Amino acid sequence: MISVKSKNITWFVLATVFIAFIYSLIGRPIHIDDAWLGEYSYWWAQLGYVKSEALRGYFGAENKLFVYHKLFAQQGGLLIRATEFNVYILKALPLAYLCLAFILGFLFFKKWMSTLSLCLLFILVLCFHQIVGLSFTFRPEIPVMFFGMLAAYFLIREEKTEKKFIFISAFFAAIAAANHLNGMVYIGAGVLYLWIQKKWLQGFIYGVIGFFGVCYYFIDVRSLEDLKTLHLQFTNWRDVAGEKVGLLQLPLRVLREQERFFHTPPEIAYSLLLLTSLFVYFNEKIGSFHKETYRLLLYAALVTFCLSILAHGKSTKYIVYAVPFFMAFIVLVCQYARRGKMAILVVGSLYVLTNLIYNFNAFKGAPLFSHEIEYAAKQIPAGANVAAHYPYIFLGIPLGQKVQATVIYEDMERAKVLPPTAEDFFEQAAKFNIDYALIQAEDRAQFHIAYEKVGQYEPIYRGEQDSVWLFRRIR
């Protein structure tokens, strides 16, 4: 019997976590991905296809870009068409999907969980650092997670899944992959889940349906030349280039998956909570009496396994794909545990505290732009080609400017293609036909830029705090 005191504490913690989450949204600064991916949606809204002025010089990206999160970018484009190009409008898209995920979570798990357990589940998910960060960043992880939850809802909720629900599950797994290729983890997990049950044909059909979501990645490829450009852009992408791929690498990729779980304090706390729950689960043989815990654990493990193979690198943000299922598993183990409940609650409390502290430090409100950058932006005429840091896109595009991200120069320098000198930086800018360059501290340090005329460029503005310099090309 749950005491009134326990219920009151749970509701208090849930309210605290919810308030902390809302607080983290206030004045959330621009994340580089807001601008990076937001520009793709802007051009899709304007042209019906994606290009990138920000990536001017990257294998024809200024004419057409093929490497982007297809369905996600198009959703952002529809938002822009309906409203305007605004960072907070774009940030609202994953936030809306998070709300849908909580509604779906309630429908998914209410059959298995008590009201108190559902509250615990919402607490664990809503305070997790990666969820808090990605829910208000224009990235596709939260939408992909939502469609993955839909796929799981139709696949694992019942012990014996009807054929029609298996195919519906495959459809949503395909939608997840159409939003981000990493969504293939749900296709792989679904196929393996069915094959473990010896449903060989249904697993094969599941994979075929899911494959159509992968094919959506090629929706804007209209010729062999387009396909060659896609291959060039994809294989040279900064997150992919240099990563070893092959059969011999697969065991190593699986073994390295633990890096995603022990990266920073929030992930470490999450992993310790999961390990504690696993110990209690096996020690008390909970899966023998409560089959839903076994299905959740199996599906979450398969998602994680597929992620280790399919996803590039070990970025911690991809951990969210399995979070709803692992968190539900943790809560159910706590609900059914006889002797290990207190251990889970203690480690869970440390998990919540760790994430709340980390979130408070990580998501502090700040102005979108300094007064210096806003002033500099007004000195640049509409139609000008501007080299600036990625977030400037949200200032430059509404002013009619074409913004190239200085990350291009950084990547060229790291690749030893561009020497780290002011002369080479501005010479390359001239080749890119850049009219104005907004130079910030990082650029000055990397390319040893001084406030003086360099080649065809002269300085015309220096911020009072010295945070930004504006250079103009002399014609």
Side-chain angles (χ1 to χ4, degrees), residues 332-354:
L332 283 173
V333 172
C334 186
Q335 176 176 288
Y336 295 133
R338 298 182 301 277
R339 301 181 302 276
K341 188 187 298 286
M342 185 53 65
I344 296 173
L345 290 174
V346 170
V347 179
S349 299
L350 293 174
Y351 158 86
V352 171
L353 187 62
T354 300

Side-chain angles (χ1 to χ4, degrees), residues 431-445:
K431 290 178 182 177
F432 286 139
N433 198 31
I434 296 299
D435 302 308
Y436 292 82
L438 266 171
I439 304 299
Q440 294 184 239
E442 301 94 313
D443 311 312
R444 302 203 297 261

Side-chain angles (χ1 to χ4, degrees), residues 109-128:
F109 304 119
K110 68 176 182 177
K111 178 181 176 181
W112 302 338
M113 296 181 184
S114 65
T115 302
L116 194 67
S117 291
L118 282 170
C119 289
L120 287 174
L121 176 62
F122 293 158
I123 288 170
L124 294 180
V125 174
L126 195 57
C127 76
F128 188 40

Side-chain angles (χ1 to χ4, degrees), residues 90-110:
L90 292 176
K91 280 177 177 288
L93 182 62
L95 185 61
Y97 271 106
L98 183 68
C99 295
L100 291 174
F102 274 102
I103 295 171
L104 177 59
F106 173 77
L107 298 173
F108 196 151
F109 304 119
K110 68 176 182 177

Side-chain angles (χ1 to χ4, degrees), residues 2 50 56 144 154 203 257-258 261 341 408 410 421 441:
I2 304 297
V50 171
R56 175 173 288 273
V144 170
F154 287 101
E257 185 60 17
Q258 46 82 25
F261 287 80
K341 188 187 298 286
I408 287 290
E410 295 169 13
T421 69

Side-chain angles (χ1 to χ4, degrees), residues 11 22 52 79 97 101 107 132-133 140 169 179 191 193 233 257 281 319 323-324 342 369 377 428 453-454 469:
W11 283 107
I22 297 299
S52 178
L79 263 182
Y97 271 106
L107 298 173
V132 175
S169 170
N179 273 277
V191 171
Y193 182 85
Q233 291 177 350
E257 185 60 17
Y281 173 79
I319 204 172
V323 159
M342 185 53 65
F369 299 100
Q428 186 62 51
K453 182 178 179 296
V454 184
W469 297 346

